[in-house]
Amino acid sequence: AQKITQTQPGMFVQEKEAVTLDCTYDTSDPSYGLFWYKQPSSGEMIFLIYQGSYDQQNATEGRYSLNFQKARKSANLVISASQLGDSAMYFCASASSGNTGKLIFGQGTTLQVKP
Amino acid sequence: DAGVTQSPTHLIKTRGQQVTLRCSPKSGHDTVSWYQQALGQGPQFIFQYYEEEERQRGNFPDRFSGHQFPNYSSELNVNALLLGDSALYLCASSLYPPGHEQYFGPGTRLTVT
């Protein structure tokens, strides 16, 4: 079974600063993927970034990067140069590499960007 | 290029009633997954449809059933509604087998009174 833990219910960051959202995972699958999604107040889940468990380098997508530490089972999301539009709920999720259709989500972290 | 669409946007039902939610996948996608997101929680996987068959299922009772049509659109049916079924229901589409990009719709907010 897989489990995702996000220990920060809410975070604040000043506009233009960087922020790290924490995620730890627990899985017995030998190969798996880790995901981050953004959910604005509108409700739609927006895919941000993906990291495969065997990827040698940390994933990056524009202002988003994933700090993957396999031994510590952590997959933290780093958002650089925060913008007001980054204010939203952020979810970390995992899936077995053989079953990426079934995402297991954490509880989420609410991020508020202050002007 | 139309993204994932869901209808209706909001729905209010009474306990014991039945409800049907609809989802049209992103153009070119053939797989639909459904998730339930209770208020303040992360989404939970309900089931996934491909080639008009349920391919896998999460830990949800048989009151939750679904269907996929030849045009890849999908329905989620919930019978004998309980107050605890109040949630945002999200539909996600992808190609099969699902890779690491699933596209989510805006969701249907179901309130059971």
Side-chain angles (χ1 to χ4, degrees), chain A residues 35 37 39 42-45 47 50 91 99-103 105-107, chain B residues 33 35 37 41-43 45 48 56 88 90 98-102 104-105:
Chain A
F35 305 74
Y37 282 85
Q39 187 177 42
S42 60
E44 185 174 349
M45 300 286 281
F47 168 76
Y50 167 84
F91 289 96
N99 193 10
T100 51
K102 182 180 179 180
L103 294 168
F105 286 87
Q107 297 283 78
Chain B
S33 300
Y35 292 81
Q37 186 178 18
Q41 305 290 319
F45 177 80
Q48 178 188 83
Q56 53 182 326
L88 180 68
L90 294 164
H100 62 269
E101 285 193 36
Q102 290 191 56
F104 282 81

Side-chain angles (χ1 to χ4, degrees), chain A residues 11-17 82-84 87 111-115:
Chain A
M11 291 281 288
F12 290 91
V13 65
Q14 206 68 33
E15 193 178 8
K16 299 181 184 177
E17 291 186 350
S82 296
Q83 302 172 356
L84 295 179
S87 294
L111 176 66
Q112 283 193 278
V113 180
K114 293 182 173 181

Side-chain angles (χ1 to χ4, degrees), chain B:
Chain B
D1 181 18
V4 181
T5 60
Q6 292 186 246
S7 62
T9 305
H10 295 89
L11 202 54
I12 299 175
K13 288 287 189 177
T14 303
R15 190 171 48 184
Q17 286 187 320
Q18 179 263 345
V19 68
T20 298
L21 310 182
R22 295 175 177 82
C23 171
S24 291
K26 178 180 168 65
S27 178
H29 284 181
D30 56 11
T31 303
V32 173
S33 300
W34 287 92
Y35 292 81
Q36 179 195 66
Q37 186 178 18
L39 195 62
Q41 305 290 319
Q44 286 194 292
F45 177 80
I46 302 175
F47 43 52
Q48 178 188 83
Y49 276 84
Y50 169 67
E51 288 188 330
E52 302 178 48
E53 289 186 10
E54 183 182 292
R55 295 293 172 163
Q56 53 182 326
R57 189 179 182 93
N59 189 25
F60 278 81
D62 291 344
R63 298 188 298 109
F64 289 77
S65 63
H67 188 78
Q68 186 179 36
F69 299 93
N71 67 352
Y72 309 122
S73 66
S74 177
E75 288 181 348
L76 164 65
N77 301 294
V78 187
N79 293 324
L81 284 167
L82 304 174
L83 296 179
D85 294 332
S86 295
L88 180 68
Y89 288 84
L90 294 164
C91 167
S93 79
S94 62
L95 290 170
Y96 193 88
H100 62 269
E101 285 193 36
Q102 290 191 56
Y103 293 83
F104 282 81
T108 293
R109 172 72 63 188
L110 172 65
T111 302
V112 182
T113 62

